[in-house]
Amino acid sequence: MKKVILALALGLMAQGAVAKTLNVVASFSVLGDIVAETGGDRVKVTSLVGPDGDPHTFEPGARDSAMLNKADVVVVNGLGLEGWLDRLIKASGFKGVVVVASDGVQTHTLEEDGQTVTDPHAWNSAANGALYARNILAALIKADPQDEKALKTTGEAYITQLQQLDSWAKAQFRPIPPQKRKVLTSHDAFGYFGRAYDVTFLAPQGLSSESEASAQQVASLIKQIKADGVHSWFIENQLDPRLVRQIAAATGAQPGGELYPEALSAKGGEADTYAKAFRHNVTVIVNSMK
Ligand SMILES: [Zn+2]
């Protein structure tokens, strides 16, 4: 018996000697969590834009540059979300692989101020979240091939979890009549969510929280909300709620609570993982339609 334990201990030690911990930097907290769940104990993850932070308007500093410099792998969303990233990567001297988590997503575009813009918020459908995890898993294995087996175990389990979350979300929305599936939020972060679960989202700000709504746009949005009978409105955890609150007040729409479209809550909060944030978003949106 003793011999068996000793052999087991030696085996573990040998495994520990080859296993390495990848130092991964993700551009924002949602992505950071997807990397952490996918890689398990084989990754140490830091997110540039932290909890409750806005990934569109982020202003990186010297600390972020130093963090990137030490990274083995950098994971970004792509699709134009992180406009600040290219300059930061150049400044940091990072020479490794930049993994684009949204690779292979079926994108859609919106017309904004006369321009055609690709919607970057692909992770807000859980099916896309699973695709992100699949891309990340492949990149982690490439960076640390010796840990392929361990990475596959954590990664595949997480991908399955996200696929189940997608089916769960569809089931939650199934009993809701089509005319009730409309909500008002601050900015257009739910395009992929809306397509996946058949919900219409209206918002005063466009695809980036940087865009500003004109008085005329606000007036026509108020008209549309009334005409469409949009019943509820939500604040977003990473944005100032004043504008959406004003619009809601002018229409009689009811507050549905808080959504987490592109930033997790701080550790210990109600949405401190991607899966929890997604489940929360689905739950409060469905509840507002009942
Ligand atoms: Zn956004």
Side-chain angles (χ1 to χ4, degrees), residues 106-190:
Q106 197 182 340
T107 58
H108 58 257
T109 55
L110 263 84
E111 294 303 315
E112 261 184 14
D113 304 323
Q115 278 188 315
T116 305
V117 189
T118 299
D119 183 351
H121 304 88
W123 63 89
N124 279 325
S125 112
N128 283 345
L131 190 148
Y132 276 42
R134 199 166 284 293
N135 287 334
I136 289 164
L137 175 60
L140 295 179
I141 290 172
K142 217 169 169 187
D144 178 16
Q146 278 176 309
D147 282 326
E148 177 168 1
K149 213 173 145 207
L151 285 166
K152 269 195 172 153
T153 304
T154 52
E156 296 289 354
Y158 182 55
I159 289 163
T160 304
Q161 189 196 327
L162 296 184
Q163 285 163 343
Q164 286 167 348
L165 209 51
D166 184 59
S167 311
W168 170 82
K170 284 183 175 142
Q172 297 305 300
F173 280 107
R174 210 161 288 136
I176 311 284
Q179 71 273 16
K180 281 196 165 179
R181 295 166 174 242
K182 295 169 195 160
V183 291
L184 167 69
T185 60
S186 288
H187 88 297
D188 284 327
F190 288 95

Side-chain angles (χ1 to χ4, degrees), residues 28 211 222 253:
F28 68 120
S211 66
I222 289 172

